[in-house]
Amino acid sequence: MHRVASSGSNGGSVRARKEKKLTYVLNDANDTQHCAGVNCLDVLKSSVSSDQSFLFTGSRDGTLKRWSFDEDAPLCSATFESHVDWVNDAALAGDSTLVSCSSDTTVKTWDSLSDGVCTRTLRQHSDYVICLAVAAQNCNVVASGGLGGEVFIWDIEAALSPVTKANDSMEDSSSNGANGIGSSQPVASLRNVGSSNNISVQSSPSHGYAPTVAKGHKESVYALAMNDTGTTLVSGGTEKVLRVWDPRTGSKSMKLRGHTDNVRVLLLDSTGRFCLSGSSDSMIRLWDLGQQRCLHTYAVHTDSVWALACTSSFTHVYSGGRDQSLYLTDLGTRESVLLCTKEHPIQQLALQDDSIWVATTDSSVERWPAEVQSPQKVFQRGGSFLAGNLSFNRARVSLEGLNPPPAYKEPLVTIPGSHPIVQHEILNNKRQILTKDAAGSVKLWNITKGVVVEDFGKISFEEKKEELFEMVSIPSWFTVDTRLGCLSVHLETPQCFSAEMYSADLKVSGRPEDDKINLSRETLKGLMGHWLAKKKHKPKPQASASGDILSAKDSKKNLTASKTEDSSAANDPVYPPFEFPSVSPPSIITEGSQGGPWRKKITEFTGTEDEKDFPLWCLDAVLNNRLPPRENTKLSFFLHPCEGSNVQVVTLGKLSAPRILRVHKVTNYVVEKMVLDSPLDSLAIDGGPQPLFAGNGLLPSGSKPWQKLKPSIEILCNNQASLSSRDEFGNCEGIYMEET
C-alpha cells in the first residue's frame, strides 16, 4: 500500500519532506562477540533466589551483551540491540533493569534477564550521552550526562509507567519508532533544555514524564557518580571542576577545583561524603565533600585516568587508563602496586568477588585476580611503590625504567571479541568490498548478500586490491563506514537507485538476459524479505531442486496501476544474488518517516511493525516496485575508428543509449554498419533483443550478420579494450555510458 506525503496547511504550500536514509550493518560469522572496543561493563551479582551472576558489556559496535558462566567458560546468553551508535555506559538499576546510554543521544532501559527486550527509550539529550550514575539502594534514581553539558536525573519507575491516552496519541504522531521498531512501551517526552542556568524540574502533563534537570555545566560532562541512597550526585567534565548536586531537586551545592585537565571518572562512597576523581592530568584525587576540599592526590599513572573501582570500605582503589596499566592503591598509606599491563587503554573496571573485570578499547574483556576482600595480599607479593603527590614524580620514575614488574601476568578468564575493521575499499563492480581488520586479516565481502566471499588471511591489502581490480564502471549507489567496527552500508534516495545490471550478468534465471535489475531495489527486497513473509503470513519462498526460484501465484497482485521500470512484481521472490543469511543476519538502522532511529535484525521482524517505521521511498520500492524519477536516462555518444585504423567512419551522427548497455549491442551495430551498406531508420541502438536489421530483406529474422562473415571486432572505451573477439559477445557485462 502506497502512502502519499501529507501537505502542509500554511497557505496551501507543501513542506518538503526530508527523506531518511536506510543503513544495514553486516555481521561476520560470529555475532555473539563484540566487534569493537568495549566501553562499559557491570556485574549482576548472584541473589538469594539465584546463585548465578551475569556480566553485562556495552560496545562501540552499538550492542550490549549478557554473559553467563558455566565452569568459568563465558557464554553470550543475550544481545541487546536497539542503539544505533556507540554504547558509552551501562549500569544496573536493581536486579532486573539495565540502563544504557549512547552516542545516538538516547538513554535506554532493558529487562536485563530477558532475551534483549528494550523497555523504554528516553530522548532528552541534545548530544552524545557519555555517562550514567545509579543509586545502589534507590534503584529508581538514575542520572545521565553528555557532551551537550546536560545532566538529567530520571525516576525510572515513573519513566516506565504508562502515559495517558492524550500523551499516547501525541507520541504516536511525533515519536513513532523511538523505542525500537515494534515496541509497545511509551517514550519519554522531548523537550529542549534552554541555555539558562536556573535550576528547574521539567514537568508537563501534556508531555508525560520529564526528568529533573541539573543545570550549570557550560561544557561537556564526562563523569557522574551517586551515593547509595541517591541523595548526592557529583559530575565532572571538560571544565576541570567537580560539581556536587542534590539529585532530588537538581540544585547545586558546591564546586570543587584542583584538576588541571578533563575530569574523566568519578566514584562516591556509600555515604556520599568521600569522592575519588580521575583526570586527563594523570592524577587521582580524594575529596572530602563535607569539608569541600581535596584530601590527597595520587600520582600513579603516566597518562589519563579513565577507570576507577573501589573496595566496599573505600580504602583501596583500582585504577586504569590510557597508559594501559592497572594499579591498586591504598588510599591511606599511598602504597601502590602494578597489577597487570594491557595492550590497549583501559576503559572501565568492575569488581566481582576477588577479581576484577577489565574493559579496553579492544573488543575482548578479561577477568584478573584482584584480592578484593584482602587487598593487602597483593602488596605482600612485593613490587609496591609510594604514590607521589605530583604527576611529574611518577612520570620521572617511569622514564628511568624503575617500574616494578606486574603482580599478575595472565588473566583468569578472557571473553574474546572479533577484530574491528580498520580499512576498506569499494571495488569497481560496486557489489564487493575488500576489508582489513585490526589483526591484519583481509576479507572480501558481497554487500548484496551480506556475506564474506573469501577470507584471504594476513596478506597485503594493497596488493589484493590491485589483483581484484576490474575494468568496469558502475555508478556509486551506496556509501560505507566502519565506525561500529563492522561494515555499515548506507542507502539514500535517489542516489541508491542509480545502478543496474543485466539479469544475465547476475546469473538470475527465469528472466530474459537483457532484463535490467536495479541493485538497490533488489537488495532492499532481500533485507525486508523476512518482514514481507511475516506480513503476508506465509513462508519465505524457497528455491526448487533445479535452482530456479519458485514464483508465488499471487505475484502480480497488489501492484499499483502506475507503470514500473521493471516487469517483476513487488512481491516476487528474492533472487539468489540478493539473499541475506539467516545465521548472523544483518541489522537495519533507519528513522522511518516519523520519530527517532531504531535498529533491529532482519530476522527478528514480526510483520506487525508499522509501515511508518520504514522510509517511504524504501516501501515504495519494495511494495510497489516504484523508483523515484531519474533524469538523463539516456546519453549521447559517438563511435570512431581506432587511431591508425583504415576502417571508414561508422557514423557521422550521435548515437543514444541508456546509461547501461551491453557491449554486444554496440558490436552488432558496428558489424551491421560495416557489412551492410544500408541506411538505418534510427541511430538508437538499444532496440531490444532483435537484430537491428532483422526483417529488412537482407538477413533472415533472428540471424546475425557475422554468422556467415564472422568479422573480428574490438570495442575500445578510453583506450581500454571492452571486447577482444566475437566469441566473448555473450559473456560481456554491461558497460555504463558517462558524459565527458
Side-chain angles (χ1 to χ4, degrees):
M1 167 173 157
H2 176 61
R3 296 197 315 278
V4 180
S6 59
S7 303
S9 59
N10 187 9
S13 62
V14 178
R15 178 176 297 178
R17 170 169 47 86
K18 181 181 179 182
E19 299 289 354
K20 308 296 184 181
K21 71 178 177 181
L22 183 139
T23 298
Y24 59 100
V25 181
L26 300 182
N27 298 307
D28 209 341
N30 189 356
D31 61 356
T32 62
Q33 298 179 346
H34 286 302
C35 63
V38 178
N39 285 338
C40 53
L41 43 76
D42 203 355
V43 175
L44 178 60
K45 298 179 175 61
S46 58
S47 60
V48 177
S49 59
S50 174
D51 59 354
Q52 188 173 22
S53 298
F54 295 102
L55 174 70
F56 294 88
T57 57
S59 170
R60 295 180 180 181
D61 62 17
T63 68
L64 298 104
K65 294 184 184 296
R66 183 183 68 222
W67 305 88
S68 56
F69 302 92
D70 182 14
E71 297 181 355
D72 284 338
L75 173 66
C76 179
S77 55
T79 296
F80 301 83
E81 186 171 8
S82 181
H83 284 297
V84 301
D85 209 332
W86 290 9
V87 177
N88 294 319
D89 202 1
L92 287 159
D95 294 332
S96 61
T97 301
L98 177 68
V99 186
S100 62
C101 66
S102 167
S103 295
D104 63 12
T105 75
T106 68
V107 176
K108 291 180 181 287
T109 60
W110 314 76
D111 182 350
S112 65
L113 301 180
S114 71
D115 291 332
V117 177
C118 177
T119 54
R120 181 134 189 192
T121 298
L122 307 173
R123 301 181 182 280
Q124 199 82 32
H125 286 270
S126 62
D127 208 335
Y128 294 179
V129 192
I130 301 298
C131 51
L132 297 170
V134 176
Q137 297 176 9
N138 188 358
C139 57
N140 288 332
V141 181
V142 176
S144 60
L147 299 188
E150 304 142 330
V151 175
F152 297 114
I153 299 100
W154 308 86
D155 184 329
I156 295 298
E157 183 176 353
L160 292 178
S161 63
V163 293
T164 63
K165 288 288 184 181
N167 293 332
D168 286 340
S169 61
M170 179 275 299
E171 288 173 355
D172 285 343
S173 63
S174 63
S175 43
N176 233 325
N179 287 327
I181 189 167
S183 175
S184 60
Q185 298 296 333
V187 182
S189 62
L190 285 170
R191 184 169 176 180
N192 293 330
V193 180
S195 58
S196 171
N197 287 333
N198 295 330
I199 306 301
S200 66
V201 178
Q202 292 191 25
S203 61
S204 174
S206 62
H207 285 70
Y209 172 79
T212 301
V213 184
K215 294 183 179 179
H217 278 284
K218 300 176 183 178
E219 299 178 13
S220 299
V221 177
Y222 282 161
L224 292 172
M226 198 181 304
N227 67 332
D228 287 357
T229 57
T231 57
T232 302
L233 174 68
V234 183
S235 62
T238 57
E239 296 172 72
K240 310 172 188 177
V241 300
L242 277 65
R243 284 185 167 87
V244 184
W245 314 83
D246 183 344
R248 296 163 294 186
T249 62
S251 59
K252 183 173 61 176
S253 58
M254 70 183 79
K255 181 190 296 186
L256 302 173
R257 301 181 183 276
H259 283 295
T260 59
D261 207 335
N262 301 337
V263 178
R264 298 300 303 266
V265 59
L266 293 166
L267 281 181
L268 271 176
D269 75 332
S270 59
T271 65
R273 177 177 178 179
F274 296 103
C275 176
L276 278 168
S277 61
S279 168
S280 296
D281 62 13
S282 77
M283 300 297 292
I284 300 173
R285 288 179 177 268
L286 176 63
W287 306 83
D288 186 327
L289 301 186
Q291 300 181 24
Q292 300 189 24
R293 69 185 185 92
C294 178
L295 297 179
H296 298 288
T297 58
Y298 305 90
V300 177
H301 292 270
T302 59
D303 209 331
S304 299
V305 181
W306 290 354
L308 296 174
C310 206
T311 58
S312 58
S313 59
F314 218 72
T315 58
H316 295 76
V317 62
Y318 300 85
S319 60
R322 194 172 179 178
D323 61 4
Q324 307 174 10
S325 300
L326 176 63
Y327 289 95
L328 170 63
T329 302
D330 187 320
L331 296 177
T333 65
R334 310 179 66 87
E335 189 177 9
S336 293
V337 64
L338 175 64
L339 290 182
C340 65
T341 56
K342 305 283 293 177
E343 295 181 357
H344 304 275
I346 296 174
Q347 300 267 54
Q348 205 168 81
L349 306 170
L351 298 176
Q352 182 181 12
D353 300 328
D354 266 344
S355 61
I356 186 168
W357 287 101
V358 182
T360 69
T361 54
D362 185 36
S363 54
S364 61
V365 179
E366 293 179 346
R367 184 178 184 179
W368 289 80
E371 300 290 351
V372 178
Q373 306 302 322
S374 304
Q376 291 301 328
K377 292 182 179 179
V378 181
F379 295 104
Q380 292 172 5
R381 298 171 64 96
S384 63
F385 60 91
L386 191 64
N389 57 7
L390 295 176
S391 59
F392 69 83
N393 287 342
R394 184 75 185 113
R396 184 177 59 201
V397 172
S398 175
L399 292 174
E400 292 174 354
L402 299 179
N403 275 347
Y408 304 104
K409 297 188 180 300
E410 296 293 335
L412 299 173
V413 178
T414 298
I415 301 178
S418 302
H419 297 292
I421 295 174
V422 296
Q423 189 176 2
H424 69 276
E425 182 75 22
I426 301 174
L427 302 187
N428 280 6
N429 59 30
K430 298 302 189 293
R431 300 191 309 280
Q432 294 178 326
I433 298 178
L434 191 68
T435 65
K436 178 181 179 181
D437 64 26
S441 181
V442 177
K443 296 180 181 179
L444 181 65
W445 293 76
N446 184 332
I447 66 158
T448 62
K449 293 175 67 71
V451 296
V452 175
V453 177
E454 189 171 356
D455 186 344
F456 300 108
K458 296 181 180 181
I459 62 173
S460 170
F461 181 84
E462 296 299 327
E463 291 180 3
K464 179 55 66 173
K465 183 176 68 173
E466 293 179 5
E467 179 184 330
L468 295 174
F469 176 79
E470 296 179 75
M471 184 58 69
V472 295
S473 177
I474 297 178
S476 297
W477 58 280
F478 62 89
T479 57
V480 175
D481 73 58
T482 56
R483 174 178 170 81
L484 300 180
C486 46
L487 287 177
S488 296
V489 183
H490 309 291
L491 303 179
E492 294 188 72
T493 187
Q495 296 88 348
C496 67
F497 296 112
S498 61
E500 295 175 327
M501 286 188 64
Y502 285 104
S503 57
D505 299 329
L506 288 169
K507 297 180 175 57
V508 173
S509 58
R511 293 185 61 162
E513 66 174 16
D514 283 346
D515 266 10
K516 297 173 184 175
I517 293 179
N518 188 283
L519 297 182
S520 179
R521 177 171 59 193
E522 298 306 318
T523 299
L524 288 171
K525 287 183 179 180
L527 289 169
M528 300 185 67
H530 295 271
W531 178 72
L532 289 171
K534 292 292 184 67
K535 189 177 179 66
K536 297 170 186 175
H537 302 289
K538 65 179 183 180
K540 190 179 178 184
Q542 300 292 326
S544 66
S546 63
D548 296 331
I549 298 298
L550 300 177
S551 299
K553 293 181 179 180
D554 58 349
S555 62
K556 297 298 181 181
K557 294 181 181 179
N558 299 326
L559 283 180
T560 61
S562 62
K563 182 180 179 181
T564 63
E565 297 185 12
D566 202 298
S567 60
S568 63
N571 48 4
D572 274 350
V574 177
Y575 296 116
F578 304 94
E579 288 183 334
F580 287 85
S582 56
V583 178
S584 298
S587 302
I588 285 181
I589 296 177
T590 190
E591 292 189 42
S593 301
Q594 305 177 32
W598 53 267
R599 172 175 174 171
K600 198 170 188 178
K601 288 191 183 300
I602 62 172
T603 53
E604 294 179 358
F605 289 125
T606 62
T608 61
E609 293 81 9
D610 194 331
E611 290 185 6
K612 294 178 182 178
D613 289 321
F614 298 96
L616 293 178
W617 60 267
C618 176
L619 291 180
D620 220 9
V622 172
L623 297 179
N624 305 318
N625 253 357
R626 188 157 42 205
L627 304 183
R630 288 184 295 175
E631 299 179 358
N632 300 325
T633 57
K634 288 194 174 184
L635 294 176
S636 298
F637 67 100
F638 292 89
L639 283 173
H640 299 290
C642 183
E643 184 178 351
S645 172
N646 57 2
V647 178
Q648 295 181 354
V649 176
V650 175
T651 179
L652 296 176
K654 288 183 179 180
L655 299 175
S656 63
R659 294 188 67 87
I660 180 175
L661 182 68
R662 302 200 79 190
V663 175
H664 80 80
K665 285 182 174 290
V666 182
T667 308
N668 287 357
Y669 177 78
V670 173
V671 170
E672 289 166 354
K673 284 291 293 180
M674 291 176 61
V675 176
L676 302 176
D677 187 14
S678 174
L680 292 176
D681 294 332
S682 172
L683 291 177
I685 65 176
D686 190 31
Q690 295 295 326
L692 293 176
F693 285 83
N696 64 0
L698 297 174
L699 288 172
S701 178
S703 64
K704 302 289 185 182
W706 58 78
Q707 288 177 343
K708 292 182 179 181
L709 303 176
K710 296 184 178 180
S712 179
I713 302 296
E714 187 173 69
I715 303 294
L716 280 74
C717 181
N718 292 331
N719 294 322
Q720 296 290 333
S722 301
L723 191 62
S724 58
S725 72
R726 67 181 184 279
D727 296 330
E728 299 177 3
F729 290 173
N731 299 323
C732 291
E733 290 193 4
I735 61 172
Y736 275 82
M737 317 299 294
E738 295 186 4
E739 290 180 307
T740 58

